[in-house]
Amino acid sequence: MKFTEKEVEILELLENDCRLSAEQIAKMIELTEDETKQLIKNLEDQRIIVDYTAQINWGKVDGHEGVKAMIDVKVQPKRGVGFDEIASRIYRFKEVKSVYLMSGAYDLSIIIEGKSMSEIAQFVSDKLSTLDSVLSTTTHFILKKYKHDGTIFEQEDEDKRIVVSP
Amino acid sequence: MIEPSYYLSNIVQELKPSGIRKFFDLAAGMEGVISLGVGEPDFVTPWNVREACILSLEQGYTSYTANAGLIELRKEISHYLKNLTNIEYNPHNQVLVTVGGSQALDISLRAIVNPGDEVIVIEPSFVSYASLVTLAGGIPVPVQTTGDMEFKLQPEELEKAITEKTKAIILCSPNNPTGTCLNKKELEMIAEIIEKYDLLVISDEIYAELTYDEAYTSFVSIKGMEERTILVSGFSKGFAMTGWRLGYIAANPEFLNAMLKIHQYSMMCAPTMAQYAAIEAMKNGKEDVIHMKKSYRQRRNLFVGALNDIGLTCHVPGGAFYAFPSIQKTNLTSEEFAEQLLMEEKVAVVPGNVFGKSGEGFVRCSYASSLEQLQEAVRRMQRFVESRT
């Protein structure tokens, strides 16, 4: 799909900060507020803008630390539906946060979130491994999140400039 | 006890300290200040550029470079200028790497000014121009521009200021502090006068990368101006590399050779590790520059609109990252405005008068700050303006 420069600019702005209002965006990209709202709506309708979420560093929230794992899954693709059917069976589980079809040593890369390691282990052994098409799984626990979706988690945003400069 | 002032040079004693310095002292040490007073990007130098510097250190490149700078960097600069200006500067004898744009300006002036020569400075102007002319032994001659004309130099005003002693003019487009850009037609009108009076131009093009509405025109690309122009630029603004102190000069070989003499005796060469970083910036930094420029433009649109909404009339600056709104409706001088705004609302702006007489009645606000900061600054400024009108 081709998009205009203004549409791409809206996408970039919202990806960077989805709290921006249509009014603010309109001023920034020199459109009227109505035009901007319409463009945003079109982008939402086409599911180019899929969702508006916040990046939360749950690791810092007591009682919400949670555990994340990346799981490499080898599957047996099925005639006619390829990997899509098994992928959709997997992504419907609420524990599953992401599912990607991969090239290389395994087929699906899955990100799972749970309260504890045992909860994840149980999900893998009970739910995931027992699916018909799943041939094997390799679970990697994520120990620390440094950067996610372009956001550096421990970054200091301190302005190091002097207050007044030429 | 000695009397130091007895020993100090007359020129230095008579030199006024930069008004920005004075204001910096006032703002420094205050807590919770939102600063719109910075003349530099709010981006940190892109990581690949920093990484190139680290690599150069790891590899032990810690010795002098050629006086004119690493030939590899000069070639990159030459290539970059070809794209920007369509002029082919020979990297071997037409490009000189300096310690920031400031040193580039300094040695450009020292290379051409004889005692008593006049150099025209278009105001409001970057704080160093007039003082550097003085330090070079010349006489700075200000030419005023006005807010009504969006601070664009009027050719007739320029012509009025020219005397037999005039040697050169310093042009800066996009301008610090007004953000004003001169387009091709406007530069051509200036060029006519330059040719008529046989003058030189020092063209400070440090903000060349940061223009938003019209395509950038370099003064050297105006017909006949290449041989009369000393192009001064650097990495500070476009590449977010202010602290690296790396600039350059491009000019015809005779001028450059003269400048090289001053440079080699006073500076030897620009810092080696910064030069390696700059090579990376020139080779692979284009996308970062485009990204930063886009972000400045968006913030400009939002910020300048907001200033106008609160009654601080401001022309739309075509480049750099400064807004230069009028504060006349508050009936305060620019210094009073800046000082009281800082004390009462903790927003630092730079009073326009530090950039010359025609800056009086205006303040310089840098919009190289986060959106949140800009919006909060405007809220505080609105409160301040309402209390004064």
Side-chain angles (χ1 to χ4, degrees), chain B residues 78-331:
Chain B
S78 167
H79 178 66
Y80 167 88
L81 289 176
K82 173 83 172 79
N83 284 335
L84 189 75
T85 67
N86 211 22
I87 288 170
E88 203 130 19
Y89 286 100
N90 182 341
H92 294 279
N93 60 6
Q94 289 195 277
V95 178
L96 168 60
V97 179
T98 61
V99 181
S102 294
Q103 194 222 352
L105 288 165
D106 183 29
I107 60 178
S108 299
L109 285 162
R110 284 204 272 161
I112 61 167
V113 170
N114 284 316
D117 281 350
E118 292 178 356
V119 176
I120 292 176
V121 175
I122 294 122
E123 291 187 350
S125 74
F126 175 51
V127 289
S128 298
Y129 294 157
S131 298
L132 287 175
V133 172
T134 308
L135 281 170
I139 301 164
V141 176
V143 169
Q144 310 298 334
T145 59
T146 65
D148 301 339
M149 305 297 286
E150 300 191 350
F151 299 101
K152 293 201 171 195
L153 172 63
Q154 303 303 305
E156 55 279 12
E157 294 298 316
L158 172 62
E159 202 161 2
K160 270 194 246 164
I162 294 170
T163 71
E164 282 185 347
K165 290 181 184 166
T166 309
K167 185 70 146 301
I169 80 165
I170 304 177
L171 271 187
C172 179
S173 168
N175 177 278
N176 173 6
T178 62
T180 297
C181 288
L182 298 171
N183 61 30
K184 188 161 184 248
K185 208 175 139 213
E186 289 155 347
L187 292 174
E188 279 170 349
M189 289 196 292
I190 295 167
E192 257 180 54
I193 296 169
I194 298 300
E195 198 143 40
K196 183 173 163 192
Y197 293 93
D198 205 11
L199 303 178
L200 293 179
V201 171
I202 294 176
S203 183
D204 181 352
E205 310 202 0
I206 191 96
Y207 293 99
E209 284 297 336
L210 306 177
T211 57
Y212 309 115
D213 305 317
E214 289 183 79
Y216 175 71
T217 307
S218 166
F219 192 72
V220 291
S221 63
I222 305 294
K223 196 167 169 273
M225 289 301 109
E226 181 188 342
E227 57 172 3
R228 293 180 175 278
T229 306
I230 297 166
L231 189 158
V232 166
S233 192
F235 294 83
S236 291
K237 315 293 182 173
F239 293 92
M241 293 176 70
T242 51
W244 300 75
R245 308 315 303 130
L246 210 63
Y248 55 87
I249 302 170
N252 79 37
E254 284 78 9
F255 289 145
L256 204 90
N257 200 34
M259 294 171 202
L260 186 58
K261 282 196 276 183
I262 309 172
H263 180 69
Q264 72 189 12
Y265 291 129
S266 61
M267 205 57 77
M268 202 68 96
C269 67
T272 306
M273 44 289 265
Q275 293 190 52
Y276 279 104
I279 292 169
E280 172 65 20
M282 288 242 140
K283 276 188 171 158
N284 299 313
K286 209 173 168 190
E287 271 186 33
D288 288 303
V289 174
I290 291 170
H291 166 73
M292 293 189 272
K293 173 174 156 166
K294 201 172 194 178
S295 170
Y296 292 134
R297 182 174 62 79
Q298 290 163 347
R299 287 183 272 174
R300 174 201 69 168
N301 294 340
L302 193 77
F303 184 63
V304 174
L307 287 177
N308 281 302
D309 288 346
I310 65 170
L312 297 179
T313 318
C314 185
H315 73 277
V316 177
F321 34 63
Y322 307 112
F324 204 61
S326 164
I327 48 101
Q328 281 150 11
K329 69 176 280 193
T330 61
N331 290 319

Side-chain angles (χ1 to χ4, degrees), chain A residues 88-131:
Chain A
S88 81
R89 284 196 65 185
I90 292 172
Y91 66 58
R92 285 169 208 278
F93 288 109
K94 68 170 175 26
E95 296 89 339
V96 175
K97 298 298 169 190
S98 316
V99 178
Y100 310 103
L101 179 62
M102 309 294 287
S103 68
Y106 54 93
D107 305 304
L108 297 175
S109 175
I110 297 171
I111 295 178
I112 295 206
E113 256 181 49
K115 288 196 184 71
S116 61
M117 280 167 98
S118 64
E119 191 180 292
I120 286 182
Q122 201 172 4
F123 175 81
V124 175
S125 60
D126 291 2
K127 306 271 174 57
L128 197 58
S129 308
T130 53
L131 290 172

Side-chain angles (χ1 to χ4, degrees), chain A residues 5-6 8-9 12-13 17 19-20 23-25 27-30 159-166, chain B residues 20 24 27 35 37-42 126 176 294 297-298 301-302 350 364 368-369 371-372 375:
Chain A
E5 215 174 287
K6 298 283 184 198
V8 172
E9 221 171 331
E12 287 170 347
L13 282 168
D17 181 1
R19 291 170 306 168
L20 287 174
E23 187 193 353
Q24 286 170 321
I25 294 174
K27 282 180 184 156
M28 289 166 86
I29 65 170
E30 295 165 279
D159 193 340
K160 296 185 178 71
R161 297 174 298 173
I162 53 178
V163 182
V164 177
S165 70
Chain B
I20 286 196
F24 168 74
S35 181
V38 281
E40 58 183 318
D42 62 332
F126 175 51
N176 173 6
K294 201 172 194 178
R297 182 174 62 79
Q298 290 163 347
N301 294 340
L302 193 77
V350 182
R364 189 191 75 177
S369 275
L371 269 187
E372 290 78 16
Q375 286 172 325

Side-chain angles (χ1 to χ4, degrees), chain B residues 3-18:
Chain B
E3 179 49 60
S5 62
Y6 170 77
Y7 299 95
L8 289 171
S9 90
N10 295 337
I11 287 186
V12 170
Q13 290 206 66
E14 280 161 29
L15 210 59
K16 281 192 218 139
S18 155

Side-chain angles (χ1 to χ4, degrees), chain A:
Chain A
M1 273 187 273
K2 276 212 159 188
F3 293 95
T4 64
E5 215 174 287
K6 298 283 184 198
E7 284 170 320
V8 172
E9 221 171 331
I10 289 174
L11 293 174
E12 287 170 347
L13 282 168
L14 285 173
E15 188 183 34
N16 193 39
D17 181 1
C18 65
R19 291 170 306 168
L20 287 174
S21 67
E23 187 193 353
Q24 286 170 321
I25 294 174
K27 282 180 184 156
M28 289 166 86
I29 65 170
E30 295 165 279
L31 286 180
T32 66
E33 201 176 328
D34 285 344
E35 286 168 334
T36 307
K37 277 182 178 160
Q38 190 54 53
L39 287 180
I40 293 174
K41 188 173 179 307
N42 292 346
L43 291 165
E44 288 167 351
D45 290 348
Q46 293 174 78
R47 289 192 64 75
I48 304 301
I49 298 173
V50 184
D51 205 351
Y52 298 88
T53 61
Q55 294 277 4
I56 312 288
N57 190 352
W58 285 111
K60 285 188 169 177
V61 182
D62 284 350
H64 290 81
E65 292 91 346
V67 180
K68 269 196 179 187
M70 293 180 79
I71 303 172
D72 311 337
V73 187
K74 281 188 188 165
V75 299
Q76 180 70 56
K78 281 190 177 163
R79 183 176 290 187
V81 288
F83 293 97
D84 294 351
E85 189 193 55
I86 180 67
S88 81
R89 284 196 65 185
I90 292 172
Y91 66 58
R92 285 169 208 278
F93 288 109
K94 68 170 175 26
E95 296 89 339
V96 175
K97 298 298 169 190
S98 316
V99 178
Y100 310 103
L101 179 62
M102 309 294 287
S103 68
Y106 54 93
D107 305 304
L108 297 175
S109 175
I110 297 171
I111 295 178
I112 295 206
E113 256 181 49
K115 288 196 184 71
S116 61
M117 280 167 98
S118 64
E119 191 180 292
I120 286 182
Q122 201 172 4
F123 175 81
V124 175
S125 60
D126 291 2
K127 306 271 174 57
L128 197 58
S129 308
T130 53
L131 290 172
D132 269 356
S133 311
V134 171
L135 302 173
S136 73
T137 63
T138 311
T139 304
H140 313 272
F141 286 100
I142 294 172
L143 302 180
K144 185 171 177 181
K145 214 191 259 184
Y146 292 101
K147 186 176 183 181
H148 180 73
D149 268 357
T151 304
I152 296 172
F153 270 55
E154 294 295 332
Q155 195 174 29
E156 296 168 23
D157 266 341
E158 181 196 349
D159 193 340
K160 296 185 178 71
R161 297 174 298 173
I162 53 178
V163 182
V164 177
S165 70

